[in-house]
Amino acid sequence: NAGVTQTPKFRVLKTGQSMTLLCAQDMNHEYMYWYRQDPGMGLRLIHYSVGEGTTAKGEVPDGYNVSRLKKQNFLLGLESAAPSQTSVYFCASSASVSGEQFFGPGTRLTVL
Amino acid sequence: AQRVTQPEKLLSVFKGAPVELKCNYSYSGSPELFWYVQYSRQRLQLLLRHISRESIKGFTADLNKGETSFHLKKPFAQEEDSAMYYCALLGGYQKVTFGTGTKLQVIP
């Protein structure tokens, strides 16, 4: 099992460009999460999903959109990237709301 | 609003010394608390959760509702314990809130 995978690993964008980060899990987990990690800020929840076809806002959702069309995939979109969105993005999944979260390797995004 | 506070950004201890990583939380309901760890060049992973009341790699954590704390402790630090540690709280609306993390540095 690959667990949780993220695509791409690195990306550099110019201000105003758009992109989509893909998270995939092969553990049949219901719950999926997108976090951003910034120095001194820890992990902050952007959006999450409690099942296929559902999404919900987390702590810092502005400037991001998500979709969960398939149970195994959770996409994070940036419609118009800003330098403030330079960060490391982590995806995670869990079998239940109180279950262990399994994390992906992260995507390092730089917005110039 | 739910909040997790880890007051120390960096904690340096000598090998063999006791370790205590502090975590305080703010939540009006009954919390579920976790400790996650990220070793160098590895993924973030669960270390332990309070409902399990288990000891993992010699670490324990007790939920103190009176002090709203969930400090992580180990009696004798090992070099391989050096890592970034995050305290996390599962609160309302199925949201998980992470603290800002504490970097543990074990000095040989």
Side-chain angles (χ1 to χ4, degrees):
Chain A
N1 289 346
V4 179
T5 58
Q6 292 182 231
T7 309
K9 289 186 170 58
F10 305 94
R11 186 72 186 269
V12 178
L13 291 178
K14 293 182 180 178
T15 297
Q17 287 185 316
S18 64
M19 78 162 294
T20 300
L21 281 66
L22 170 63
C23 176
Q25 52 95 3
D26 60 3
M27 296 174 281
N28 201 34
H29 285 170
E30 289 293 334
Y31 295 78
M32 295 188 75
Y33 313 82
W34 274 109
Y35 296 91
R36 58 177 290 172
Q37 184 183 46
D38 302 290
M41 304 289 284
L43 283 122
R44 292 182 292 170
L45 183 64
I46 305 171
H47 286 280
Y48 63 105
S49 169
V50 301
E52 182 179 317
T54 74
T55 63
K57 293 181 180 180
E59 185 184 351
V60 288
D62 294 342
Y64 305 94
N65 56 74
V66 287
S67 64
R68 183 101 181 265
L69 298 179
K70 292 183 179 180
K71 187 177 183 178
Q72 63 268 33
N73 296 337
F74 195 29
L75 278 63
L76 178 71
L78 285 73
E79 290 186 348
S80 180
S84 61
Q85 293 178 304
T86 293
S87 186
V88 180
Y89 292 85
F90 288 97
C91 176
S93 71
S94 64
S96 65
V97 66
S98 60
E100 175 180 358
Q101 290 193 23
F102 292 84
F103 283 81
T107 294
R108 186 173 295 276
L109 175 67
T110 301
V111 183
L112 301 175
Chain B
Q2 58 195 60
R3 182 176 295 176
V4 176
T5 302
Q6 293 180 252
E8 302 142 327
K9 287 187 178 179
L10 173 66
L11 181 65
S12 297
V13 301
F14 286 101
K15 178 182 173 182
V19 175
E20 182 177 73
L21 298 165
K22 291 184 167 51
C23 172
N24 288 91
Y25 67 89
S26 173
Y27 180 57
S28 57
S30 185
E32 290 193 49
L33 287 144
F34 308 81
W35 276 99
Y36 280 82
V37 60
Q38 189 172 27
Y39 300 103
S40 179
R41 299 188 188 85
Q42 293 189 28
R43 301 185 186 198
L44 197 66
Q45 58 188 285
L46 179 69
L47 181 61
L48 54 80
R49 68 189 88 181
H50 90 272
I51 57 174
S52 300
R53 301 186 65 81
E54 57 196 346
S55 173
I56 302 294
K57 298 185 179 182
F59 284 98
T60 59
D62 291 318
L63 177 61
N64 186 323
K65 291 187 177 181
E67 295 183 358
T68 59
S69 68
F70 188 55
H71 302 327
L72 184 68
K73 300 177 182 179
K74 185 170 183 177
F76 308 104
Q78 305 294 320
E79 289 182 65
E80 55 266 30
D81 295 330
S82 294
M84 195 75 182
Y85 291 80
Y86 292 94
C87 182
L89 177 151
L90 171 63
Y93 301 103
Q94 302 169 323
K95 287 185 185 178
V96 176
T97 299
F98 281 80
T100 52
T102 298
K103 183 176 182 179
L104 175 63
Q105 182 181 58
V106 180
I107 305 164

